[in-house]
Short mmCIF file of all heavy atoms in Angstrom, two decimals:
data_model
loop_
_atom_site.label_atom_id
_atom_site.label_comp_id
_atom_site.label_asym_id
_atom_site.label_seq_id
_atom_site.Cartn_x
_atom_site.Cartn_y
_atom_site.Cartn_z
N THR A 87 226.56 106.08 161.68
CA THR A 87 227.43 106.23 160.52
C THR A 87 228.23 107.53 160.63
O THR A 87 229.45 107.56 160.37
CB THR A 87 226.59 106.27 159.23
OG1 THR A 87 225.70 105.16 159.26
CG2 THR A 87 227.48 106.18 157.99
N GLN A 88 227.53 108.61 161.00
CA GLN A 88 228.21 109.90 161.13
C GLN A 88 229.30 109.87 162.19
O GLN A 88 230.40 110.37 161.98
CB GLN A 88 227.19 111.00 161.46
CG GLN A 88 226.28 111.36 160.30
CD GLN A 88 225.07 112.18 160.76
OE1 GLN A 88 224.89 112.43 161.95
NE2 GLN A 88 224.23 112.58 159.81
N GLU A 89 228.98 109.29 163.31
CA GLU A 89 229.95 109.30 164.40
C GLU A 89 231.15 108.41 164.06
O GLU A 89 232.29 108.74 164.39
CB GLU A 89 229.29 108.84 165.71
CG GLU A 89 228.24 109.82 166.24
CD GLU A 89 228.83 111.22 166.48
OE1 GLU A 89 229.95 111.34 166.99
OE2 GLU A 89 228.13 112.21 166.11
N MET A 90 230.89 107.28 163.38
CA MET A 90 232.01 106.45 162.94
C MET A 90 232.89 107.21 161.96
O MET A 90 234.12 107.15 162.02
CB MET A 90 231.50 105.15 162.31
CG MET A 90 231.00 104.13 163.33
SD MET A 90 230.36 102.60 162.57
CE MET A 90 231.87 101.89 161.89
N ALA A 91 232.23 107.96 161.08
CA ALA A 91 233.00 108.73 160.10
C ALA A 91 233.85 109.78 160.80
O ALA A 91 235.01 110.01 160.45
CB ALA A 91 232.06 109.39 159.09
N LYS A 92 233.25 110.43 161.83
CA LYS A 92 234.00 111.48 162.53
C LYS A 92 235.27 110.94 163.17
O LYS A 92 236.32 111.57 163.12
CB LYS A 92 233.12 112.10 163.62
CG LYS A 92 232.20 113.20 163.09
CD LYS A 92 231.41 113.84 164.24
CE LYS A 92 230.12 114.44 163.74
NZ LYS A 92 229.15 114.64 164.83
N LEU A 93 235.15 109.76 163.75
CA LEU A 93 236.31 109.17 164.40
C LEU A 93 237.21 108.45 163.39
O LEU A 93 238.32 108.06 163.73
CB LEU A 93 235.87 108.18 165.48
CG LEU A 93 235.27 108.76 166.75
CD1 LEU A 93 234.95 107.66 167.73
CD2 LEU A 93 236.23 109.76 167.40
N GLY A 94 236.70 108.25 162.20
CA GLY A 94 237.47 107.54 161.19
C GLY A 94 237.46 106.02 161.39
O GLY A 94 238.37 105.32 160.91
N CYS A 95 236.45 105.51 162.11
CA CYS A 95 236.41 104.06 162.37
C CYS A 95 236.26 103.28 161.07
O CYS A 95 235.42 103.59 160.24
CB CYS A 95 235.22 103.71 163.27
SG CYS A 95 235.16 104.65 164.79
N ARG A 96 237.06 102.24 160.95
CA ARG A 96 236.91 101.35 159.80
C ARG A 96 235.65 100.53 159.90
O ARG A 96 235.13 100.29 161.00
CB ARG A 96 238.08 100.38 159.74
CG ARG A 96 239.34 101.01 159.28
CD ARG A 96 240.45 99.97 159.23
NE ARG A 96 241.71 100.65 159.00
CZ ARG A 96 242.89 100.10 159.18
NH1 ARG A 96 242.98 98.85 159.61
NH2 ARG A 96 243.99 100.79 158.94
N LYS A 97 235.20 100.03 158.75
CA LYS A 97 234.12 99.05 158.80
C LYS A 97 234.67 97.79 159.46
O LYS A 97 235.75 97.33 159.06
CB LYS A 97 233.63 98.72 157.38
CG LYS A 97 232.68 99.75 156.82
CD LYS A 97 231.81 99.19 155.71
CE LYS A 97 232.51 99.31 154.36
NZ LYS A 97 231.66 98.83 153.25
N PRO A 98 233.95 97.21 160.43
CA PRO A 98 234.48 96.00 161.08
C PRO A 98 234.45 94.79 160.15
O PRO A 98 235.23 93.85 160.31
CB PRO A 98 233.54 95.80 162.26
CG PRO A 98 232.27 96.50 161.87
CD PRO A 98 232.68 97.67 161.01
N LEU A 99 233.56 94.83 159.17
CA LEU A 99 233.43 93.69 158.25
C LEU A 99 233.11 94.21 156.86
O LEU A 99 232.17 94.98 156.68
CB LEU A 99 232.30 92.76 158.73
CG LEU A 99 232.01 91.53 157.86
CD1 LEU A 99 233.17 90.54 157.88
CD2 LEU A 99 230.72 90.84 158.30
N PHE A 100 233.91 93.78 155.89
CA PHE A 100 233.59 94.08 154.50
C PHE A 100 232.85 92.88 153.94
O PHE A 100 233.27 91.74 154.14
CB PHE A 100 234.87 94.35 153.70
CG PHE A 100 235.48 95.67 154.05
CD1 PHE A 100 236.22 95.84 155.20
CD2 PHE A 100 235.29 96.77 153.22
CE1 PHE A 100 236.78 97.06 155.53
CE2 PHE A 100 235.84 98.01 153.55
CZ PHE A 100 236.59 98.15 154.71
N SER A 101 231.74 93.12 153.25
CA SER A 101 230.90 91.98 152.90
C SER A 101 229.92 92.33 151.80
O SER A 101 229.17 93.29 151.89
CB SER A 101 230.14 91.54 154.15
OG SER A 101 228.99 90.81 153.82
N PHE A 102 229.95 91.54 150.70
CA PHE A 102 228.90 91.67 149.69
C PHE A 102 227.59 91.11 150.22
O PHE A 102 226.53 91.37 149.67
CB PHE A 102 229.29 90.93 148.41
CG PHE A 102 230.55 91.44 147.78
CD1 PHE A 102 231.53 90.58 147.32
CD2 PHE A 102 230.77 92.81 147.66
CE1 PHE A 102 232.70 91.05 146.76
CE2 PHE A 102 231.93 93.30 147.08
CZ PHE A 102 232.90 92.41 146.64
N GLY A 103 227.70 90.29 151.29
CA GLY A 103 226.50 89.75 151.92
C GLY A 103 225.65 90.87 152.51
O GLY A 103 224.42 90.86 152.39
N ILE A 104 226.32 91.83 153.12
CA ILE A 104 225.58 92.94 153.73
C ILE A 104 225.04 93.87 152.65
O ILE A 104 223.87 94.23 152.65
CB ILE A 104 226.50 93.75 154.68
CG1 ILE A 104 227.00 92.85 155.82
CG2 ILE A 104 225.78 94.97 155.22
CD1 ILE A 104 228.04 93.51 156.71
N ALA A 105 225.93 94.25 151.72
CA ALA A 105 225.55 95.31 150.78
C ALA A 105 224.64 94.82 149.67
O ALA A 105 223.76 95.54 149.21
CB ALA A 105 226.82 95.93 150.17
N MET A 106 224.82 93.57 149.22
CA MET A 106 224.09 93.15 148.02
C MET A 106 223.12 92.00 148.26
O MET A 106 221.96 92.07 147.89
CB MET A 106 225.09 92.78 146.94
CG MET A 106 225.91 94.01 146.52
SD MET A 106 226.72 93.80 144.95
CE MET A 106 228.14 92.87 145.47
N LEU A 107 223.62 90.91 148.89
CA LEU A 107 222.71 89.77 149.07
C LEU A 107 221.64 90.10 150.10
O LEU A 107 220.46 89.79 149.91
CB LEU A 107 223.50 88.53 149.48
CG LEU A 107 222.65 87.28 149.73
CD1 LEU A 107 221.85 86.91 148.49
CD2 LEU A 107 223.52 86.11 150.17
N GLY A 108 222.06 90.73 151.20
CA GLY A 108 221.13 91.04 152.29
C GLY A 108 219.85 91.70 151.82
O GLY A 108 218.75 91.18 152.08
N PRO A 109 219.94 92.83 151.14
CA PRO A 109 218.71 93.50 150.68
C PRO A 109 217.83 92.58 149.84
O PRO A 109 216.59 92.63 149.97
CB PRO A 109 219.26 94.64 149.82
CG PRO A 109 220.62 94.91 150.34
CD PRO A 109 221.15 93.60 150.81
N ALA A 110 218.44 91.72 149.03
CA ALA A 110 217.64 90.80 148.21
C ALA A 110 216.92 89.78 149.07
O ALA A 110 215.73 89.49 148.88
CB ALA A 110 218.54 90.10 147.20
N LEU A 111 217.65 89.24 150.05
CA LEU A 111 217.03 88.25 150.93
C LEU A 111 215.88 88.89 151.70
O LEU A 111 214.79 88.32 151.81
CB LEU A 111 218.06 87.68 151.91
CG LEU A 111 219.17 86.79 151.28
CD1 LEU A 111 220.16 86.35 152.36
CD2 LEU A 111 218.55 85.56 150.61
N LEU A 112 216.14 90.06 152.26
CA LEU A 112 215.12 90.74 153.07
C LEU A 112 213.84 90.95 152.26
O LEU A 112 212.74 90.86 152.78
CB LEU A 112 215.65 92.08 153.59
CG LEU A 112 216.63 91.96 154.76
CD1 LEU A 112 217.35 93.27 154.99
CD2 LEU A 112 215.91 91.51 156.04
N LYS A 113 213.97 91.22 150.99
CA LYS A 113 212.80 91.55 150.20
C LYS A 113 212.18 90.32 149.56
O LYS A 113 210.96 90.26 149.37
CB LYS A 113 213.20 92.56 149.11
CG LYS A 113 212.02 93.34 148.55
CD LYS A 113 212.48 94.51 147.70
CE LYS A 113 211.35 95.05 146.86
NZ LYS A 113 210.56 96.08 147.51
N PHE A 114 212.98 89.31 149.21
CA PHE A 114 212.43 88.24 148.38
C PHE A 114 212.48 86.84 149.01
O PHE A 114 211.83 85.93 148.51
CB PHE A 114 213.17 88.20 147.03
CG PHE A 114 213.02 89.46 146.22
CD1 PHE A 114 214.01 90.44 146.22
CD2 PHE A 114 211.86 89.69 145.48
CE1 PHE A 114 213.85 91.61 145.47
CE2 PHE A 114 211.71 90.86 144.74
CZ PHE A 114 212.71 91.83 144.74
N ALA A 115 213.27 86.65 150.08
CA ALA A 115 213.46 85.30 150.61
C ALA A 115 212.32 84.89 151.55
O ALA A 115 211.57 85.74 152.05
CB ALA A 115 214.80 85.20 151.33
N THR A 116 212.22 83.58 151.81
CA THR A 116 211.27 83.10 152.82
C THR A 116 211.84 83.40 154.21
O THR A 116 213.05 83.61 154.36
CB THR A 116 211.08 81.58 152.71
OG1 THR A 116 212.34 80.94 152.99
CG2 THR A 116 210.61 81.18 151.30
N GLU A 117 210.98 83.35 155.20
CA GLU A 117 211.43 83.61 156.57
C GLU A 117 212.51 82.61 156.96
O GLU A 117 213.51 82.96 157.60
CB GLU A 117 210.23 83.54 157.53
CG GLU A 117 210.54 83.95 158.96
CD GLU A 117 211.02 85.39 159.09
OE1 GLU A 117 210.72 86.22 158.20
OE2 GLU A 117 211.75 85.69 160.06
N GLU A 118 212.32 81.37 156.54
CA GLU A 118 213.27 80.32 156.87
C GLU A 118 214.65 80.64 156.28
O GLU A 118 215.68 80.50 156.96
CB GLU A 118 212.75 79.00 156.27
CG GLU A 118 213.40 77.77 156.83
CD GLU A 118 212.92 76.52 156.09
OE1 GLU A 118 211.80 76.56 155.49
OE2 GLU A 118 213.66 75.53 156.07
N GLN A 119 214.64 81.07 155.01
CA GLN A 119 215.92 81.43 154.37
C GLN A 119 216.57 82.61 155.07
O GLN A 119 217.77 82.63 155.29
CB GLN A 119 215.67 81.75 152.89
CG GLN A 119 215.31 80.51 152.06
CD GLN A 119 214.88 80.87 150.65
OE1 GLN A 119 214.23 81.90 150.44
NE2 GLN A 119 215.21 80.00 149.70
N LYS A 120 215.76 83.61 155.41
CA LYS A 120 216.32 84.77 156.09
C LYS A 120 217.01 84.35 157.39
O LYS A 120 218.13 84.79 157.69
CB LYS A 120 215.22 85.78 156.43
CG LYS A 120 214.64 86.49 155.22
CD LYS A 120 213.58 87.51 155.65
CE LYS A 120 212.69 87.91 154.47
NZ LYS A 120 211.55 88.72 154.88
N LEU A 121 216.32 83.50 158.15
CA LEU A 121 216.87 83.10 159.44
C LEU A 121 218.12 82.24 159.27
O LEU A 121 218.99 82.23 160.13
CB LEU A 121 215.80 82.35 160.26
CG LEU A 121 214.69 83.25 160.79
CD1 LEU A 121 213.53 82.44 161.35
CD2 LEU A 121 215.25 84.21 161.87
N ARG A 122 218.21 81.58 158.15
CA ARG A 122 219.41 80.77 157.94
C ARG A 122 220.60 81.63 157.50
O ARG A 122 221.70 81.50 158.03
CB ARG A 122 219.14 79.71 156.87
CG ARG A 122 220.43 79.08 156.41
CD ARG A 122 220.31 77.82 155.64
NE ARG A 122 221.67 77.40 155.25
CZ ARG A 122 221.95 76.56 154.29
NH1 ARG A 122 220.95 75.99 153.61
NH2 ARG A 122 223.20 76.26 154.01
N TYR A 123 220.37 82.50 156.49
CA TYR A 123 221.52 83.17 155.87
C TYR A 123 221.92 84.50 156.52
O TYR A 123 223.09 84.83 156.59
CB TYR A 123 221.25 83.39 154.37
CG TYR A 123 221.14 82.10 153.59
CD1 TYR A 123 219.93 81.69 153.06
CD2 TYR A 123 222.26 81.29 153.41
CE1 TYR A 123 219.82 80.49 152.34
CE2 TYR A 123 222.18 80.10 152.70
CZ TYR A 123 220.95 79.69 152.16
OH TYR A 123 220.86 78.53 151.48
N LEU A 124 220.93 85.28 156.95
CA LEU A 124 221.29 86.63 157.42
C LEU A 124 222.19 86.62 158.65
O LEU A 124 223.19 87.35 158.66
CB LEU A 124 220.01 87.46 157.64
CG LEU A 124 219.22 87.81 156.36
CD1 LEU A 124 217.89 88.48 156.70
CD2 LEU A 124 220.04 88.71 155.44
#
Side-chain angles (χ1 to χ4, degrees):
Chain A
T87 310
Q88 289 165 358
E89 293 303 318
M90 284 178 68
K92 276 184 205 160
L93 288 183
C95 306
R96 286 181 190 165
K97 280 202 272 183
L99 178 67
F100 287 78
S101 159
F102 300 135
I104 298 173
M106 296 198 279
L107 179 58
L111 292 177
L112 284 167
K113 201 167 164 89
F114 298 99
T116 64
E117 187 61 24
E118 196 185 337
Q119 290 172 324
K120 290 182 197 172
L121 288 169
R122 167 165 178 199
Y123 295 111
L124 292 173

